[in-house]
Amino acid sequence: MHLLSRLFDLATGRPLPDEAGGSASRAQLIVAALLALGVFAAAWGFAAGSQSLGLAMSNLYKVPMVVILSAVLTLPAGMLAWKLSEAPCRGRNILQAFVGGCFGGTLILAVLSPVVAVYYQSSAWAAPYLAIGSTFVAIAVGTAVFLRASVRAVDGKNGWRMAIPVSTFVVLQIALLAQLVSIASPILPERTVFADGVEAVAPDLPEPLLPHTGLTEAR
Amino acid sequence: MRGASFFQGPDDATTNGREGEGSRRRHGGTEGFVFGYRYRWAQLAFVALFLMATASAQAGIVGTVHQGSVQEGAIQWRSRVVVDMTPDGEPVRAVLTAPLDPKLLTYPEAVEPVLTEGQVTSLMLPSCEWGRPGAPPMTTAMPRQPLTCSTDIYVIQPISGPRGAVHLQPPMLEGVAMQIVDVWGPEELMFIPDPKVGLEKRLAAFTPAGVDKDLPRRWDQRLGFARRGPAHKPLYFQSTDSLKEGIAGELTSEGDRMRRGAIVAGVVFAAIVTALITAFLRLSRVARVERAEAELKVNLRRSAELLDDMPVGRESGVSGR
């Protein structure tokens, strides 16, 4: 319970109190938050795939994979951006802020998962919009939490100097999310534009037709 | 202006007209005007001979665009053979790199296949003349590049399945003509050539190693080939002996490519989750010690504060002994 309350503190973006312990306790909190992302994402995935048992069960693995991989694979580039931009905060603070943002975002997914499940069981057209909309809300909330925690990490002074690392984290995670969703597709019962990943952005001419009229077969 | 060129403008010609007498005396020959351009007969004859020589030297096959539609058991090829404009009106002989089963070939009436031992070994393509279907319009006055026209032939290549290892066998032609191969099929099918073929993967094409990066664009322009999008990578090469047996490679669908990515992502995900759980368990032990130390410190500090607050001596009733 103690750990859970500290996880929620992390999501609010407040700096951790001294009583939170030393470096090992802080690291444990970050690892616990990353594992919690998987649990929350799995809840949403199960709800989004609840129309068919197979899809729901596969989403228990696929959606956490998308969320955790995107978060973990963003870390190296984000931390490098923090270092190179000489952001006026400690590395552990921006790491806590980022993980807190991810935690907050997936928390939104988890709390909206019952609504998504109910709509998938009762509505043919609204459910996919609600499911996709909930992911956008989660991304927006996660970004806001991350931004707020980052600004708090520098006590509100020179908050603009956090722009480079924060934007690097956010842009890279969204780019990774988009591509991992295409790898993990299908997540929703409907095929969406996200299933094609970045390929959907590229212009594509139709395949040429090969007419066979007015031709002679070889003798 | 001295040494006037053949393509001088009318103004220059007028200006030169005053010097014309001197010029004629120096170089000999007579002068005339066509469309306001001044020429000398000797220059005109030279240019005409040069153009004829160039035309006859370039007469022949420019290249072929092979477009293959992959179906369940076959690839349906449309090979657009582009030939240069020939002044003599003679048919162009296109020698195939590999003999072709005539049952699998379809062609326009103007094409004449040459059979050797029941197999098509070459094709006599219609000459490229003004007015021929597929030839450029006669209004093309000053072309930027040599004029060409094209002939489509169709070949069916049986394959074992729509995916997996395959030898693409479009009707390739002998010589150093440009070859563009573009394959498509259901589920965003893509052909990836075997590394042994020697084609290098580029941003939007497969080309031989070390060629100019601008080559695909120039060949597209020359052969009139329109790419379907940046996600598609056609093959650009010149027909060589190594490709007589076909182009070895693999046909993969979008699902195949995604499946590979999903397997890699799954393995990485499993490794990350294992590492996170292991780290969590180890950190929890260290964190417990940290918390115990912190509590101990707090208790010690409180005890020390209590001791500091306690009065020492007779007033307090506590004996120092």
Side-chain angles (χ1 to χ4, degrees):
Chain A
M1 198 61 199
H2 183 63
L3 184 67
L4 197 63
S5 67
R6 283 196 297 149
L7 280 174
F8 281 103
D9 284 344
L10 193 70
T12 59
R14 287 198 206 103
L16 292 172
D18 290 338
E19 299 84 65
S23 56
S25 299
R26 289 170 190 274
Q28 189 203 16
L29 189 65
I30 288 169
V31 171
L34 285 172
L35 287 169
L37 302 185
V39 177
F40 296 150
W44 182 88
F46 191 83
S50 59
Q51 265 190 351
S52 82
L53 187 63
L55 188 62
M57 296 308 283
S58 65
N59 277 356
L60 285 178
Y61 152 77
K62 286 193 286 189
V63 182
M65 182 189 82
V66 168
V67 173
I68 291 181
L69 272 188
S70 69
V72 172
L73 298 182
T74 304
L75 289 178
M79 293 309 288
L80 182 67
W82 160 78
K83 190 70 183 171
L84 296 182
S85 63
E86 292 187 327
C89 72
R90 301 182 72 174
R92 75 176 186 200
N93 290 341
I94 195 159
L95 193 60
Q96 277 175 7
F98 173 66
V99 175
C102 293
F103 185 83
T106 47
L107 202 55
I108 296 293
L109 288 182
V111 298
L112 289 179
S113 59
V115 186
V116 171
V118 167
Y119 267 75
Y120 260 115
Q121 297 303 320
S122 57
S123 169
W125 69 270
Y129 292 106
L130 184 70
I132 294 171
S134 66
T135 60
F136 280 105
V137 171
I139 289 171
V141 170
T143 306
V145 168
F146 177 35
L147 198 62
R148 186 179 62 183
S150 302
V151 173
R152 277 182 179 170
V154 291
D155 294 329
K157 295 169 193 165
N158 293 326
W160 59 271
R161 289 182 67 183
M162 300 297 286
I164 292 174
V166 168
S167 54
T168 306
F169 270 109
V170 172
V171 169
L172 279 183
Q173 195 180 11
I174 290 173
L176 274 168
L177 273 172
Q179 215 49 19
L180 285 167
V181 163
S182 74
I183 287 176
S185 281
I187 289 174
L188 299 180
E190 302 83 9
R191 184 173 177 83
T192 65
V193 68
F194 305 102
D196 293 329
V198 76
E199 306 289 325
V201 179
D204 213 0
L205 291 176
E207 291 160 356
L209 296 171
L210 305 182
H212 254 106
T213 51
L215 297 170
T216 313
E217 285 197 6
R219 289 165 287 275
Chain B
M1 186 180 286
R2 290 184 175 82
S5 69
F6 180 71
F7 291 108
Q8 276 179 322
D11 294 342
D12 296 333
T14 312
T15 312
N16 283 345
R18 286 189 229 108
E19 297 178 355
E21 292 297 317
S23 177
R24 196 159 54 225
R25 277 198 297 275
R26 275 197 301 276
H27 302 293
T30 54
E31 293 181 349
F33 287 88
V34 171
F35 302 127
Y37 288 87
R38 195 181 68 169
Y39 64 85
R40 296 189 191 91
W41 284 111
Q43 283 179 328
L44 186 65
F46 172 76
V47 169
L49 280 170
F50 175 78
L51 285 174
M52 283 173 68
T54 311
S56 53
Q58 288 183 343
I61 294 156
V62 178
T64 315
V65 178
H66 307 279
Q67 292 179 299
S69 168
V70 180
Q71 285 141 20
E72 196 53 46
I75 304 176
Q76 186 185 338
W77 290 104
R78 177 179 69 181
S79 295
R80 176 158 287 176
V81 186
V82 179
V83 295
D84 269 321
M85 180 152 278
T86 47
D88 53 4
E90 288 293 314
V92 179
R93 186 186 182 90
V95 181
L96 298 166
T97 55
L100 202 62
D101 185 349
K103 287 176 189 165
L104 303 175
L105 176 68
T106 315
Y107 53 86
E109 279 184 12
V111 173
E112 192 63 42
V114 177
L115 278 80
T116 309
E117 296 174 2
Q119 298 277 298
V120 180
T121 52
S122 57
L123 299 164
M124 298 305 289
L125 302 172
S127 64
C128 186
E129 296 170 296
W130 296 119
R132 206 208 91 178
M138 290 187 76
T139 50
T140 308
M142 292 292 289
R144 287 184 178 179
Q145 57 186 26
L147 296 174
T148 56
C149 42
S150 59
T151 306
D152 290 352
I153 58 170
Y154 296 83
V155 172
I156 302 287
Q157 179 195 343
I159 53 172
S160 55
R163 290 202 287 272
V166 69
H167 265 74
L168 297 187
Q169 289 173 316
M172 280 191 284
L173 307 178
E174 293 275 11
V176 290
M178 310 169 199
Q179 308 281 329
I180 301 176
V181 176
D182 187 20
V183 179
W184 67 87
E187 295 178 49
E188 297 290 325
L189 202 74
M190 186 186 276
F191 176 74
I192 298 165
D194 196 283
K196 289 175 191 166
V197 173
L199 294 176
E200 198 173 57
K201 190 177 185 180
R202 296 201 170 195
L203 281 178
F206 285 95
T207 66
V211 299
D212 178 16
K213 67 176 169 54
D214 207 28
L215 177 136
R217 191 189 59 77
R218 281 189 280 114
W219 283 24
D220 288 351
Q221 209 172 21
R222 189 84 174 87
L223 300 182
F225 171 62
R227 293 196 210 184
R228 286 177 293 121
H232 304 276
K233 294 187 197 302
L235 281 57
Y236 294 77
F237 58 91
Q238 290 176 321
S239 43
T240 58
D241 289 343
S242 64
L243 296 168
K244 273 183 182 174
E245 296 298 315
I247 309 156
E250 192 182 9
L251 287 168
T252 60
S253 69
E254 190 181 28
D256 296 333
R257 296 191 291 277
M258 288 292 183
R259 207 166 295 124
R260 284 177 204 166
I263 290 167
V264 173
V267 170
V268 174
F269 173 61
I272 285 174
V273 169
T274 309
L276 285 175
I277 291 170
T278 310
F280 181 79
L281 293 175
R282 286 191 179 178
L283 284 168
S284 63
R285 281 199 291 272
V286 182
R288 269 202 300 271
V289 174
E290 268 184 359
R291 278 196 294 273
E293 281 177 351
E295 279 178 27
L296 198 61
K297 272 183 191 171
V298 170
N299 287 339
L300 283 171
R301 202 184 307 129
R302 280 183 191 158
S303 303
E305 282 168 6
L306 273 175
L307 283 172
D308 285 345
D309 291 343
M310 278 185 184
V312 181
R314 284 178 192 170
E315 294 90 354
S316 65
V318 178
S319 170
R321 283 172 285 184

